[in-house]
Amino acid sequence: MPALKLFFCLLLAVLPALLLCAQPQKQFTFTHYTTNTGLQSNQVNDAVQDETGYIWIGTTEGLVRFDGIRYKTFQHHQNDSSSLPSNVLEHLLLDKQKNLWVLTEGGKAGIFNTRKFTFTPVPLHPDFKGSLKSLSKYFVTDDAGNVFLLLGNQEILMWNRQSNSFQPLRNFFPIDKNWKLTSIAKQPGTQKYWIGLQQGGMAVYNALSGKTSVAGNNVENEPMLEELQKAGAPEHLMFDGKGRCWFTVTTPNYAILHMYDFSKRPVKTKQFEFFSTLKTYNEIYRIFEQTDGTIWVSGLAVLGYYIPAEERFELIPPGYENEKGIDYRTITCLFEDREMNMWVGTAINGIFRFNPSQEFFTNIKYVNRVTNDYGDNGIAAISTDVDS
């Protein structure tokens, strides 16, 4: 008994130090869908969920409807004008009117009727015909139901409901026709649209006043416009639920993720880069906010989530160690379904599903105080904590 008592006394003395040195790392549990499970193609370019619960997956071999068990694939048929114009789907969007927008290779856009299974084309009228050939093309929508089509870092088109066509953004917003546009996002709680400029910085169009502010001509005294110009050409603009503005700037070696918190005075800024961690070239294609407020980033060699308390991103490394892991090189899409499951599409390895709030283990590694190395001893005891 004295020896056992001494052991517990020592354990109580050492435990706080072990906890301080603990380094928790979430190990998520993924479910994998590929051609082996019935998916039409392992190259998934985008995915969304409609109001009935179906998951729609855009692949290089057609549009796939998935109900959790069965797959139904829709493809181009030469003698059917109501079919998809191509089997290669580049992007999907579900708008406020529950229309499923489809963008196919070659820059052909339209609405796919999810009940009649028919495609209605919507003409595109860009200022620069070459922008339709850009590698990066995708839809964006706002809380007013407007639908925009971004064409590389060249221009932005906006859907005109009356003519049922996409027209240059300058036809709707008072902006310089010579500007090359990289991104657009509406600031929550306002009528302001922030527009990325290829030459660097942003323009802010206020729909209430009808005025546009830009560095050098900041007519409405928008904060940080001069500073934003120094950051470079902003891509993938996104405002989160806390009013923070996120965007990326691509450098020759890696992507830089910027955060501007306009709810703070002065405006709080933060930059993140993942090259120092990954030791490889990387790009960010998507900045996404879950319903619980968690911020995710994904792209080339990147998948991670933001930890606000530590003001850093935790990266989820690729590596298919078991059937519950994830393996990726390029993350092509990221979205959350109604059950708060996250879906992660990849360029060559199908699509993965996981629930960040439920399906994970937390590994806690302890550091030997003498050697400063991770310990490798076996588990001696286990207990529930006070919150269980």
Side-chain angles (χ1 to χ4, degrees):
M1 289 298 293
L4 184 60
K5 186 176 181 179
L6 177 61
F7 167 77
F8 279 110
C9 289
L10 290 173
L11 180 61
L12 290 174
V14 173
L15 186 58
L18 294 179
L19 292 176
L20 287 174
C21 295
Q23 297 189 12
Q25 182 180 27
K26 291 183 179 180
Q27 301 294 318
F28 296 101
T29 302
F30 293 87
T31 301
H32 194 193
Y33 303 97
T34 66
T35 53
N36 292 331
T37 65
L39 188 63
Q40 186 68 21
S41 169
N42 282 336
Q43 183 171 339
V44 173
N45 291 331
D46 210 351
V48 296
Q49 184 181 37
D50 67 20
E51 74 278 8
T52 64
Y54 285 118
I55 304 295
W56 293 87
I57 305 172
T59 76
T60 54
E61 297 294 336
L63 178 64
V64 179
R65 190 188 72 178
F66 183 46
D67 63 7
I69 301 175
R70 294 170 295 273
Y71 302 89
K72 185 176 179 63
T73 302
F74 303 92
Q75 295 180 314
H76 170 71
H77 297 287
Q78 188 172 359
N79 298 322
D80 185 358
S81 60
S82 67
S83 68
L84 293 167
S86 169
N87 289 337
V88 181
L89 277 68
E90 297 187 354
H91 196 245
L92 305 176
L93 172 75
L94 198 69
D95 69 13
K96 300 297 182 182
Q97 287 73 43
K98 301 177 182 178
N99 295 313
L100 178 59
W101 287 88
V102 174
L103 181 67
T104 70
E105 66 174 345
K108 295 182 179 179
I111 297 174
F112 186 82
N113 190 310
T114 57
R115 301 183 187 276
K116 298 180 180 179
F117 308 140
T118 55
F119 177 83
T120 302
V122 176
L124 309 181
H125 301 289
D127 280 329
F128 311 102
K129 297 298 182 183
S131 61
L132 293 176
K133 299 179 180 179
S134 61
L135 295 177
S136 175
K137 299 186 290 291
Y138 58 96
F139 296 110
V140 170
T141 188
D142 62 20
D143 56 13
N146 295 309
V147 178
F148 305 93
L149 178 57
L150 283 74
L151 302 176
N153 288 336
Q154 294 294 313
E155 61 180 311
I156 299 174
L157 307 182
M158 183 174 175
W159 180 42
N160 186 320
R161 290 180 175 83
Q162 286 68 38
S163 66
N164 191 33
S165 64
F166 279 95
Q167 305 287 339
L169 188 64
R170 62 179 175 79
N171 293 344
F172 307 91
F173 294 4
I175 57 177
D176 193 315
K177 66 178 181 179
N178 295 315
W179 286 348
K180 292 187 177 181
L181 313 178
T182 61
S183 52
I184 186 169
K186 187 170 181 287
Q187 186 174 4
T190 74
Q191 293 299 314
K192 297 178 181 180
Y193 289 85
W194 292 69
I195 305 165
L197 306 177
Q198 191 186 86
Q199 65 264 33
M202 300 190 206
V204 182
Y205 166 62
N206 189 340
L208 287 179
S209 65
K211 297 179 180 179
T212 300
S213 297
V214 69
N217 188 28
N218 192 353
V219 295
E220 295 198 326
N221 298 315
E222 293 292 345
M224 302 300 291
L225 280 188
E226 302 295 335
E227 291 297 319
L228 283 166
Q229 191 174 30
K230 302 173 185 177
E235 301 177 63
H236 311 293
L237 261 173
M238 191 272 283
F239 280 90
D240 66 20
K242 293 182 172 62
R244 296 173 299 191
C245 178
W246 300 82
F247 62 90
T248 66
V249 173
T250 303
T251 73
N253 296 318
Y254 51 83
I256 298 177
L257 177 65
H258 293 258
M259 185 275 288
Y260 284 70
D261 190 346
F262 290 103
S263 68
K264 308 292 185 182
R265 288 294 182 271
V267 175
K268 182 179 180 179
T269 66
K270 188 80 175 177
Q271 295 183 14
F272 309 88
E273 57 82 22
F274 306 122
F275 181 81
S276 57
T277 300
L278 298 172
K279 308 301 182 184
T280 186
Y281 176 78
N282 61 84
E283 297 180 6
I284 298 173
Y285 303 148
R286 185 74 58 95
I287 308 169
F288 181 82
E289 182 180 20
Q290 276 189 271
T291 53
D292 67 1
T294 303
I295 302 297
W296 289 81
V297 291
S298 62
L300 176 63
V302 174
L303 175 62
Y305 58 94
Y306 186 53
I307 303 177
E310 302 176 24
E311 295 189 330
R312 69 176 183 88
F313 278 85
E314 179 73 25
L315 298 181
I316 301 174
Y320 201 72
E321 297 179 359
N322 55 58
E323 69 277 6
K324 296 299 183 180
I326 184 171
D327 193 15
Y328 66 88
R329 172 57 182 165
T330 302
I331 302 295
T332 55
C333 67
L334 193 67
F335 89 98
E336 181 185 32
D337 66 21
R338 297 186 303 188
E339 286 74 40
M340 295 184 68
N341 295 307
M342 293 287 287
W343 294 74
V344 185
T346 70
I348 60 174
N349 203 16
I351 191 167
F352 295 83
R353 175 182 59 82
F354 71 108
N355 192 311
S357 64
Q358 298 176 7
E359 300 176 3
F360 65 84
F361 296 96
T362 300
N363 294 341
I364 299 179
K365 301 178 180 180
Y366 72 89
V367 177
N368 187 301
R369 290 182 298 171
V370 177
T371 65
N372 289 323
D373 294 328
Y374 287 129
D376 56 2
N377 293 333
I379 297 174
I382 187 170
S383 173
T384 57
D385 62 27
V386 294
D387 296 322
S388 299

